[in-house]
């Protein structure tokens, strides 16, 4: 169940999907998130945080999941706040040990290991669904203050 379904919050604008299959798609995805953040009215600091989080998630989908899809929505919560929500899903092998994957310093690649844990700290809401052999879906939301 996605966070929108949990809260009953309706998206403010239709969702936009971005396929991530080749390396060039990573840049396209980051630009789409930046454009969304600007349209929502995020400060430069909030833009940087959500773009950094998106970059990590789409790179993970590309490298570890063999590609995926990023969906961008602009939800409103029950208080009327507007935000930017990203859902990145892949059909890769899934994450066998989520707790370990969320630990700073852990990396299955050549990175520094700040990936998922760092991403969680950059956003207001973080939701991860995964199972070995069934892929991974990460949904994040950053709300405009």
């Amino acid at each position: 169940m996605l966070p929108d379904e949990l809260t009953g919050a309706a998206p403010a604008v239709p969702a936009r999907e971005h396929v991530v299959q080749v390396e060039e798609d990573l840049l396209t995805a980051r630009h789409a998130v930046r454009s969304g953040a600007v349209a929502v009215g995020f400060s430069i600091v909030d833009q940087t945080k959500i773009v950094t989080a998106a970059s990590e998630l789409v790179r993970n989908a590309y490298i570890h999941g063999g590609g995926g899809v990023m969906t961008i929505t602009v939800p409103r919560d029950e208080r009327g706040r507007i935000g930017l929500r990203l859902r990145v899903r892949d059909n890769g092998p899934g994450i066998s040990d989520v707790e370990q994957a969320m630990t700073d310093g852990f990396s299955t690649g050549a990175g520094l290991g700040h990936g998922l844990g760092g991403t969680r700290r950059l956003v207001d809401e973080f939701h991860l669904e995964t199972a070995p052999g069934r892929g991974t879906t990460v949904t994040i939301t950053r709300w405009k203050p």
Side-chain angles (χ1 to χ4, degrees):
M1 186 174 281
L2 292 176
D4 283 340
E5 296 164 340
L6 293 171
T7 64
V13 297
R16 292 176 287 152
E17 285 195 349
H18 299 274
V19 175
V20 178
Q21 292 297 325
V22 296
E23 192 163 355
E24 291 79 22
D25 294 337
L26 301 174
L27 184 60
T28 301
R30 285 192 296 267
H31 284 299
V33 173
R34 170 89 53 205
S35 294
V38 168
V40 166
F42 281 177
S43 70
I44 191 70
V45 170
D46 287 333
Q47 290 173 37
T48 302
K49 287 179 178 182
I50 193 76
V51 169
T52 301
S55 182
E56 179 64 31
L57 295 178
V58 295
R59 181 162 290 287
N60 282 351
Y62 172 69
I63 291 172
H64 302 293
V69 176
M70 177 183 69
T71 305
I72 302 173
T73 56
V74 180
R76 286 195 185 275
D77 70 5
E78 62 282 347
R79 296 183 302 181
R81 289 186 307 172
I82 192 167
L84 198 62
R85 178 166 292 144
L86 311 177
R87 180 178 182 237
V88 180
R89 69 182 191 282
D90 67 51
N91 293 314
I95 301 171
S96 59
D97 187 340
V98 172
E99 187 174 330
Q100 184 181 36
M102 297 297 293
T103 303
D104 283 348
F106 175 77
S107 178
T108 57
L112 296 174
H114 296 298
L116 291 175
T119 298
R120 181 172 54 189
R121 287 188 297 277
L122 291 170
V123 297
D124 298 310
E125 297 173 10
F126 181 96
H127 181 76
L128 184 141
E129 295 177 49
T130 189
R134 297 186 53 208
T136 301
T137 301
V138 180
T139 305
I140 60 172
T141 306
R142 180 132 188 113
W143 296 102
K144 183 178 174 193

